[in-house]
Amino acid sequence: MKKTKLILLGVIAFLLAIVFACSKSDDDSSSSASVTTLVSGSAVFSSTATINVAYTGTATLPYTGGNGASYSAGTAIASTGVTGLTATLTAGTLANGAGSLTYTITGTPASSGTASFVITFGGQTVTITLTVNSATSVDCSTATGVTKVVCLANTFLATLTTTQQTSVVLTLNLSNAKRWSNLPCGLSCRNGLLFSSLTSAQQTAALALIKAASGTNSGEGYDEFSTIRAADDYLGTTASGYSSGNYVIAFLGTPSTTGKWMLQFGGHHYAQNITYDAGAVTSITPMHEAVEPAGSFTYSGTTYSSPLASEQAAMANMLASFTTAELATAKISSTFSDCLMVPGSTTNTFPSTKLGIKVSELSTAAQAKVLAAMLPWINDVDATSAASFTTTYTNELANTYVTYASNSSGVSGNASSFLTANTDYVRIDGPSVWIEFICQSGVVLSGIHYHTVFRDHTRDYIGL
């Protein structure tokens, strides 16, 4: 009996030891490690943190009365107050007396303010605090080119919540890259965040980025983007579903001057897909620009000129520069109701046979008009990138073709006789460049409206 009691006492002692060990704090990683005090008021963080910006740093916590014992790494301690951060004890050995513990701090703070960590070690418990700043204001004004675009992209991201960042930064793959459209379908056919979901400060940051990426040529680039958005507000006064608030912005991949990523922005009647790789613009297509009405309009007290006036004029001037014989060679009998490379289609492919007249067969003056007809689309990006693509398409100009359809009233030497009626169509098709322009009957309003598509045989969705 006595022996049985001794065995039972031994079992109880063993179980109590297990319970005691399990009740120890995650940070109390060695039962022999002990300190007299943890000096929370003297805790030092390697740096402050910023709301919605990934943080990696350290916290050094002084102690007194260390017993010289070793201790292992702890488990993550979640922050309170400002959430989103964790503190993890780094393994080490206590001093015999005074010393410091080191904690690794990681995560993305969800708000500004004070992040608190309750630390338990060596029989002592204290709270240490980390300051989390509001979104920092970064000056991107002195940056240029892709560096400026990336700077403004990161500035925009810093204004977003963690949830918004997850919605706007997506995987760079072919499936996401092909999600662009000419329809008023909001996020059902596009990636990213709706402008209507952004605060005033967030929308300002988004527009600053788009302005840097799309260029500042008068009447092109950002001006054109802004006017097409205003046209959507104008349509919204007559029919539901149209609004500049239904425009979106997205990043496929993380904005960087070293990696590869795509900037997508647009909405009904506008889609831009710009690919950046290693600090350079490698693709400015696919792109879609359209507008209804085709002419000027007045919205909220402001009168806007047609945003595609330069595109229509450049194409009409090109066709008018052809002789009667050249026009006959360029014209095809087909009738088009929309662009052949329909915006947002995931299945259409470029025709294998080029139609119309070869540019090398045109006069020098007419060849120059063909190149000029491309510029209103090429110039919808920053000046450096526009110049690079202009050079590429110039070098391929001789092997480029021009074709058109309908335009029953079109005559040589009269630009105003081209691209005026429903189904009037023109196409520039080169070794690389592909641009279509068509007149369509109005959908919301009477009259016509314009649809255009700018593609590239070799650079669309480049590398995907």
Side-chain angles (χ1 to χ4, degrees), residues 165-179:
Q165 289 179 346
T166 301
S167 296
V168 79
V169 182
L170 305 171
T171 303
L172 176 61
N173 57 35
L174 187 58
S175 177
N176 282 335
K178 284 185 173 182
R179 293 198 77 225

Side-chain angles (χ1 to χ4, degrees), residues 281-284 378 385-394 456 459:
V281 174
T282 54
S283 176
I284 58 176
I378 299 172
S385 302
S388 175
F389 280 90
T390 299
T391 298
T392 296
Y393 297 151
T394 299
D456 190 297
R459 295 171 183 83

Side-chain angles (χ1 to χ4, degrees), residues 117-352:
F117 304 89
V118 178
I119 303 297
T120 298
F121 180 89
Q124 308 297 322
T125 299
V126 295
T127 298
I128 62 175
T129 58
L130 170 66
T131 298
V132 179
N133 299 319
S134 302
T136 55
S137 178
V138 178
D139 183 10
C140 302
S141 60
T142 59
T144 58
V146 176
T147 300
K148 183 169 186 174
V149 169
V150 172
C151 180
L152 291 169
N154 287 324
T155 298
F156 169 58
L157 285 173
T159 69
L160 303 178
T161 66
T162 302
T163 300
Q164 286 176 313
Q165 289 179 346
T166 301
S167 296
V168 79
V169 182
L170 305 171
T171 303
L172 176 61
N173 57 35
L174 187 58
S175 177
N176 282 335
K178 284 185 173 182
R179 293 198 77 225
W180 60 287
S181 177
N182 66 293
L183 300 174
C185 49
L187 288 175
S188 67
C189 63
R190 298 182 179 88
N191 303 308
L193 290 171
L194 284 171
F195 274 72
S196 61
S197 72
L198 302 177
T199 65
S200 177
Q202 291 170 341
Q203 191 166 148
T204 296
L207 292 174
L209 164 61
I210 290 171
K211 186 173 184 177
S214 58
T216 56
N217 286 300
S218 179
E220 306 295 344
Y222 185 72
D223 281 355
E224 199 162 49
F225 168 77
S226 299
T227 306
I228 291 174
R229 286 184 71 216
D232 236 38
D233 284 327
Y234 177 70
L235 290 181
T237 64
T238 302
S240 62
Y242 299 96
S243 169
S244 61
N246 290 332
Y247 273 57
V248 302
I249 184 169
F251 304 141
L252 306 187
T254 302
S256 166
T257 56
T258 56
K260 183 175 182 178
W261 62 286
M262 179 185 285
L263 170 62
Q264 292 184 323
F265 57 92
H268 173 238
H269 278 171
Y270 195 95
Q272 180 62 287
N273 302 275
I274 306 174
T275 304
Y276 301 86
D277 194 1
V281 174
T282 54
S283 176
I284 58 176
T285 59
M287 182 181 185
H288 166 66
E289 291 178 330
V291 67
E292 184 178 3
S296 62
F297 60 93
T298 300
Y299 174 73
S300 192
T302 300
T303 299
Y304 297 87
S305 299
S306 172
L308 296 186
S310 60
E311 282 80 357
Q312 190 273 349
M315 286 293 198
N317 286 331
M318 174 189 71
L319 290 174
S321 72
F322 294 3
T323 65
T324 300
E326 289 167 345
L327 285 173
T329 302
K331 192 169 186 179
I332 55 177
S333 59
S334 303
T335 300
F336 295 86
S337 60
D338 200 350
C339 298
L340 185 63
M341 300 299 288
V342 180
S345 171
T346 58
T347 58
N348 58 6
T349 56
F350 293 105
S352 57

